Amino acid sequence: MNPFSWLRGLWLLRYPELVHDLGERRFHLNAVSRIRSLAADCRIDNDIRLIGFDPARITLQDSVSVCAGTVLAFGDQHNGFGRIDIGRKTWIGEYNNLRAGGGDILIGSDCLISQFCTLVASNHGTARDKTIQQQTPRTDHSGIRLGNDVWLGAGVTVTPGVTIGNGAVIGAGAVVTKDIPPYEIWAGVPAQKIGERQ
């Protein structure tokens, strides 16, 4: 190891914002390590984003992959907390957005969640007497459930209250606003049936 590198590192510690960022990064890496310990052979990238994380709010089965840039948001005091459960051998690609505040997100086994997908488990209320930000999530229409062997193409959005059946395929860019039966292929905005797996 180059002694000048070590000295340069010490010299950089004179910046309080750098020391703060290093502390935050260490705290984050500890949380990622706790997630990895939940299941055998899971692959969780160091560069996921955690919001409202608590180990009791996540369940991973064996061989789950969560790639870089993915947000796992479990909620907050105002909107309530939810769970994220991910089944065996499910792959969650880069830059996905899983938001379980106000409801649970349950993903089955052997699923493929492509890049830039958004799964939001609840919506705010829309009453006129309060601003949107002041309203708590609706409880009559919350949670998301994906069966086993589901494939979400890149950029899919799944809205609260939706169940997607086993083996369903959702085309890239689709917005899923209602339940999808097993083994059907849906695409579009809003998503509509375009075929079935053979």
Side-chain angles (χ1 to χ4, degrees):
M1 180 176 178
N2 184 342
F4 294 109
S5 298
W6 186 79
L7 289 172
R8 183 173 182 273
L10 281 178
W11 178 251
L12 289 173
L13 292 178
R14 73 187 189 283
Y15 298 108
E17 61 276 6
L18 178 60
V19 173
H20 177 267
D21 284 351
L22 288 171
E24 290 291 318
R25 181 69 174 164
R26 184 68 194 141
F27 179 77
H28 170 78
L29 292 175
N30 283 339
V32 171
S33 179
R34 291 179 78 182
I35 292 173
R36 287 185 182 125
S37 72
L38 297 174
D41 195 33
C42 64
R43 295 172 297 282
I44 310 299
D45 194 277
N46 284 338
D47 291 322
I48 63 172
R49 174 100 193 273
L50 299 170
I51 301 171
F53 171 69
D54 181 315
R57 297 185 185 124
I58 186 168
T59 300
L60 301 179
Q61 294 183 16
D62 294 348
S63 301
V64 166
S65 294
V66 182
C67 297
T70 290
V71 174
L72 301 178
F74 300 91
D76 56 38
Q77 294 292 341
H78 176 70
N79 296 303
F81 293 96
R83 294 186 47 76
I84 298 175
D85 293 349
I86 304 173
R88 186 172 179 271
K89 293 186 178 179
T90 286
W91 183 83
I92 298 177
E94 293 85 355
Y95 301 104
N96 286 295
N97 186 14
L98 279 60
R99 296 196 169 264
D104 296 337
I105 297 175
L106 310 175
I107 300 173
S109 298
D110 299 301
C111 293
L112 294 175
I113 312 298
S114 299
Q115 300 77 17
F116 299 103
C117 294
T118 297
L119 286 70
V120 180
S122 68
N123 282 327
H124 291 283
T126 56
R128 292 184 181 192
D129 62 339
K130 294 181 183 175
T131 65
I132 296 295
Q133 289 187 17
Q134 293 174 323
Q135 298 189 46
T136 56
R138 293 175 49 185
T139 56
D140 61 326
H141 202 65
S142 65
I144 291 174
R145 180 181 297 270
L146 275 59
N148 299 324
D149 189 31
V150 169
W151 178 17
L152 302 184
V156 167
T157 298
V158 182
T159 60
V162 165
T163 295
I164 298 177
N166 292 337
V169 176
I170 314 301
V175 177
V176 182
T177 60
K178 56 187 174 183
D179 292 352
I180 295 179
Y183 300 102
E184 291 189 357
I185 301 171
W186 287 49
V189 180
Q192 298 179 25
K193 181 179 178 180
I194 62 168
E196 295 185 16
R197 288 176 65 179
Q198 300 299 317

